[in-house]
């Protein structure tokens, strides 16, 4: 593989590393105490809006005094959870892509020193790399969709309990149509 | 290539599907008895040939991995129809391959003639759709299956004796056996959540069958000699033809017996690499089961059992 291709893939690797670090920092910092002070204004507003996150960790008495589901606080908590899920998904995707690239680096980015591969073998490795990169994206998309669906289901069930509808509770299907 | 090998009943019992499988067998018998008398003898012959119902089992396992409790009737109907459609593909395969026997018994066209076998296969498709009744989702899934299987067979034949690779094998196998198990997963989960798991299970099954053929595992249904003669891209073939000398022989039209012996030996040399590749597919399938099901145990049991098919 040519030096320019090597350079391109190495740059992509750096990009993934930097993106991953940025996401990790964002996730660590977004909900830390006094994090809003160090943030740009829009992100600080966002963090302030989600300041009530983490009801599960609160003392039981305090949690019991929370208003019923459907209030702004509860909805904001759910939104915060959705943000955490999305951020976690982005981190996982970056990590997976990094692993896929590392696994194929030896073959796809092989240069002069290593034993040469035939063009067919090189092509085969590169196709496998592209397939795995696509599959990683697809898997993470499905996983994110499922986790958000589960959160939606949890929110809907909590709302049902707070404001019970007449008749039996109908479970919501994961997806209504194929 | 449609059974679980020895111990199939134990697998069914260990997965907790004995009642569902008994219901399915009763439905198959009832269906055959209700068919036109002109077709009944051929259908009885086809459906008493000792299938271990791996495809219905996949449907049941996918259902159970998401929803606990007994498998409902409409899911069992899907299992009945997948068996009907699967047997239709076997009848057609046997005619095309000119196979006199399958699993030690005469094939339908050998016993009843080609005309009867072809007409019975068409009858089976019509009966299958009829059995689905108003289940539009299942009708759409079976339509997808029949179209993909047809395309896969044509593609596989067009690409015979060509210098292709493992990625090409994945695509062909994914559309052939892979599509069958993909649809089984969708018939079981009814949401598409386990579609990818089904695709990987089918790919694993196809690969284990390829490897099993090279190992002479007749329990899987044979077919290895025909694939070798016809230059069909199996997993061991895709690995072996990286070697230029083998590639030349593989692509040669009308290979001699001596050529085929050299190719077969090259395939055998690739078995450890093929097994390692299948291990990776099994890992992917397990990961899918863990990520996308509420209870991955039945799905992982299917993967383990499938992986043993080439052992």
């Amino acid at each position: 593989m040519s030096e320019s291709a090597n350079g391109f893939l190495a740059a992509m690797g750096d990009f993934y590393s930097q993106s991953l670090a940025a996401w990790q920092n964002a996730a660590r910092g977004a909900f830390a105490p006094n994090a809003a002070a160090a943030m740009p204004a829009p992100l600080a507003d966002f963090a302030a809006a989600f300041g009530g996150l983490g009801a599960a960790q609160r003392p039981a008495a305090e949690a019991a005094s929370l208003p019923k589901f459907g209030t702004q606080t509860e909805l904001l908590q759910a939104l915060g959870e959705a943000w955490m899920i999305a951020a976690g998904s982005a981190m996982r995707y970056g990590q997976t892509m990094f692993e896929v690239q590392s696994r194929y680096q030896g073959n796809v980015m092989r240069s002069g020193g290593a034993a040469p591969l035939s063009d067919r073998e090189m092509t085969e490795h590169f196709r496998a790399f592209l397939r795995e990169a696509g599959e990683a994206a697809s898997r993470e998309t499905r996983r994110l969709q499922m986790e958000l669906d589960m959160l939606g289901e949890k929110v809907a069930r909590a709302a049902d309990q707070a404001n019970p509808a007449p008749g039996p509770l109908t479970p919501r299907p994961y997806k209504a149509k194929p | 290539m449609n059974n679980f090998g020895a111990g199939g009943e134990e697998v069914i019992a260990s997965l907790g599907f004995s009642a569902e499988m008994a219901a399915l067998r009763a439905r198959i018998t009832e269906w055959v008895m209700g068919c036109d008398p002109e077709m009944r003898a051929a259908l009885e012959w086809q459906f008493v040939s000792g299938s271990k119902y791996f495809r219905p089992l996949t449907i049941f396992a996918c259902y159970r991995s998401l929803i606990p409790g007994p498998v409902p009737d409409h899911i069992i109907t899907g299992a009945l129809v997948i068996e009907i459609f699967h047997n239709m593909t076997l009848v057609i395969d046997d005619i095309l391959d000119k196979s006199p026997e399958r699993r030690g018994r005469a094939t339908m066209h050998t016993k009843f003639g080609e005309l009867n076998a072809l007409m019975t296969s068409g009858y089976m498709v019509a009966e299958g759709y009829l059995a689905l009744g108003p289940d539009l989702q299942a009708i759409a899934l079976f339509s997808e299956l029949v179209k993909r299987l047809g395309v896969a067979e044509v593609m596989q034949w067009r690409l015979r004796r060509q210098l292709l690779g493992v990625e090409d094998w994945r695509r062909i196998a994914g559309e052939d056996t892979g599509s069958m198990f993909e649809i089984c997963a969708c018939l079981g989960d009814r949401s598409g959540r386990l579609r990818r798991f089904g695709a990987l299970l089918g790919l694993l099954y196809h690969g284990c069958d390829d490897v099993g053929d090279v190992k002479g595992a007749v329990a899987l249904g044979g077919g290895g000699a025909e694939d070798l003669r016809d230059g069909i891209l199996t997993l061991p073939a895709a690995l072996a033809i990286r070697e230029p000398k083998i590639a030349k022989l593989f692509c040669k039209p009308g290979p001699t017996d001596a050529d085929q012996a050299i190719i077969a030996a090259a395939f055998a040399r690739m078995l450890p690499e093929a097994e390692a590749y299948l291990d990776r597919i099994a890992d992917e399938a397990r990961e899918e089961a863990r990520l996308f099901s509420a209870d991955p145990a039945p799905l992982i049991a299917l993967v383990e059992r499938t992986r043993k098919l080439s052992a």
Side-chain angles (χ1 to χ4, degrees):
Chain A
M1 185 155 283
S2 69
E3 287 306 314
S4 58
N6 272 342
F8 173 75
L9 286 173
M12 289 301 292
D14 288 345
F15 175 72
Y16 281 128
S17 304
Q18 287 166 15
S19 302
L20 186 61
W23 273 113
Q24 283 166 335
N25 286 336
R28 268 197 299 269
F31 303 107
N34 304 319
M39 291 176 186
L43 197 53
D45 291 346
F46 183 76
F50 290 104
L53 274 172
Q57 282 95 44
R58 288 181 181 146
E62 190 186 339
S65 68
L66 282 173
K68 289 283 186 195
F69 190 89
T71 63
Q72 194 179 20
T73 309
E74 295 282 341
L75 284 170
L76 285 175
Q77 283 174 3
L79 269 172
E81 217 173 311
W83 192 90
M84 292 288 276
I85 289 170
S89 174
M91 279 194 285
R92 267 198 314 264
Y93 177 61
Q95 182 72 39
T96 306
M97 283 304 299
F98 194 77
E99 285 166 11
V100 170
Q101 187 184 313
S102 304
R103 195 148 19 91
Y104 283 95
Q105 204 160 10
N107 291 321
V108 175
M109 297 176 65
R110 190 177 290 212
S111 55
L117 288 175
S118 69
D119 285 351
R120 281 191 63 223
E121 284 173 307
M122 182 86 84
T123 305
E124 188 76 1
H125 284 304
F126 195 67
R127 287 179 71 194
F129 166 67
L130 294 178
R131 174 179 53 74
E132 283 201 35
E135 285 172 355
S138 161
R139 184 170 53 247
E140 194 50 54
T141 304
R142 288 182 290 120
R143 194 170 170 185
L144 172 63
Q145 186 183 21
M146 187 183 72
E147 290 178 356
L148 290 175
D149 275 354
M150 287 164 71
L151 175 63
E153 175 73 23
K154 196 171 87 176
V155 167
R157 282 181 183 273
D160 282 342
Q161 281 167 5
N163 308 293
L169 179 66
T170 308
R172 290 159 189 78
Y174 167 72
K175 198 189 278 183
K177 290 182 181 177
Chain B
M1 48 178 233
N2 74 334
N3 70 41
F4 239 150
E9 289 299 326
E10 290 162 35
V11 178
I12 290 166
S14 69
L15 286 171
F17 293 121
S18 297
E20 284 83 358
M21 211 51 83
L24 174 65
R25 288 192 180 106
R27 291 281 302 274
I28 290 173
T29 305
E30 186 189 356
W31 168 70
V32 171
M33 291 300 116
C35 287
D36 193 286
E38 286 286 353
M39 304 297 194
R40 206 176 294 152
L43 290 171
E44 277 186 276
W45 182 257
Q46 184 68 25
F47 282 87
V48 296
S49 58
S51 169
K52 297 297 187 294
Y53 304 115
F54 191 19
R55 287 152 190 81
L57 203 55
T58 302
I59 294 177
F60 297 156
C62 286
Y63 176 85
R64 184 69 58 75
S65 74
L66 293 179
I67 302 170
V71 176
D73 198 50
H74 74 285
I75 300 289
I76 294 180
T77 300
L80 163 70
V81 179
I82 204 79
E83 268 302 289
I84 295 174
F85 275 49
H86 169 56
N87 275 275
M88 174 272 291
T89 67
L90 295 183
V91 171
I92 300 290
D93 274 354
D94 289 340
I95 294 172
L96 292 175
D97 291 344
K98 302 184 183 357
S99 305
E101 287 189 346
R102 177 177 285 275
R103 280 179 259 129
R105 296 175 84 240
T107 49
M108 188 189 279
H109 73 275
T110 306
K111 184 151 180 75
F112 298 93
E114 273 194 21
L115 183 140
N116 278 25
L118 283 170
M119 294 304 117
T120 307
S121 66
Y123 184 92
M124 287 156 78
V125 174
E127 279 286 320
Y129 276 113
L130 203 56
L132 293 172
D135 189 346
L136 293 179
Q137 189 186 25
I139 290 169
L141 287 169
F142 278 104
S143 299
E144 178 191 334
L145 174 63
V146 174
K147 288 196 312 187
R148 286 177 69 183
L149 286 175
V151 170
E153 284 299 321
V154 171
M155 176 171 63
Q156 192 174 46
W157 189 247
R158 177 174 59 81
L159 295 177
R160 72 195 187 282
R161 295 192 207 297
Q162 290 197 26
L163 203 50
L164 301 171
V166 175
E167 288 300 307
D168 302 291
W169 172 81
R170 262 186 103 105
R171 286 197 175 197
I172 294 168
E175 285 306 295
D176 187 359
T177 319
S179 68
M180 176 70 86
F181 284 87
E182 229 182 282
I183 296 302
C184 286
C186 293
L187 286 166
D189 78 7
R190 293 298 177 121
S191 65
R193 192 156 139 184
L194 296 174
R195 182 181 270 270
R196 178 77 185 142
F197 169 80
L200 288 165
L201 187 68
L203 194 62
L204 182 65
Y205 194 99
H206 193 113
C208 287
D209 191 50
D210 285 353
V211 168
D213 278 344
V214 174
K215 286 183 172 177
V218 287
L220 285 172
E226 286 90 349
D227 286 351
L228 202 153
R229 178 198 64 206
D230 293 336
I232 298 295
L233 188 74
T234 61
L235 177 58
L239 295 168
I241 60 178
R242 290 178 304 193
E243 194 182 325
K245 183 186 159 196
I246 302 302
K248 198 173 169 187
L249 287 176
F250 181 79
C251 297
K252 181 178 163 186
T256 63
D257 288 348
D259 292 337
Q260 290 188 43
I262 294 170
I263 298 170
F267 287 4
R269 285 197 299 276
M270 289 299 127
L271 287 178
E273 195 175 341
E275 294 278 22
Y277 194 83
L278 292 173
D279 284 339
R280 290 200 293 277
I281 296 174
D283 286 343
E284 285 180 63
R286 287 188 204 99
E287 180 68 1
E288 276 286 320
R290 276 190 284 269
L291 286 177
F292 295 102
S293 70
D295 174 14
L299 305 182
I300 289 174
L302 282 182
V303 173
E304 303 310 335
R305 190 70 193 184
T306 307
R307 186 64 195 90
K308 283 181 187 163
L309 290 175
S310 73

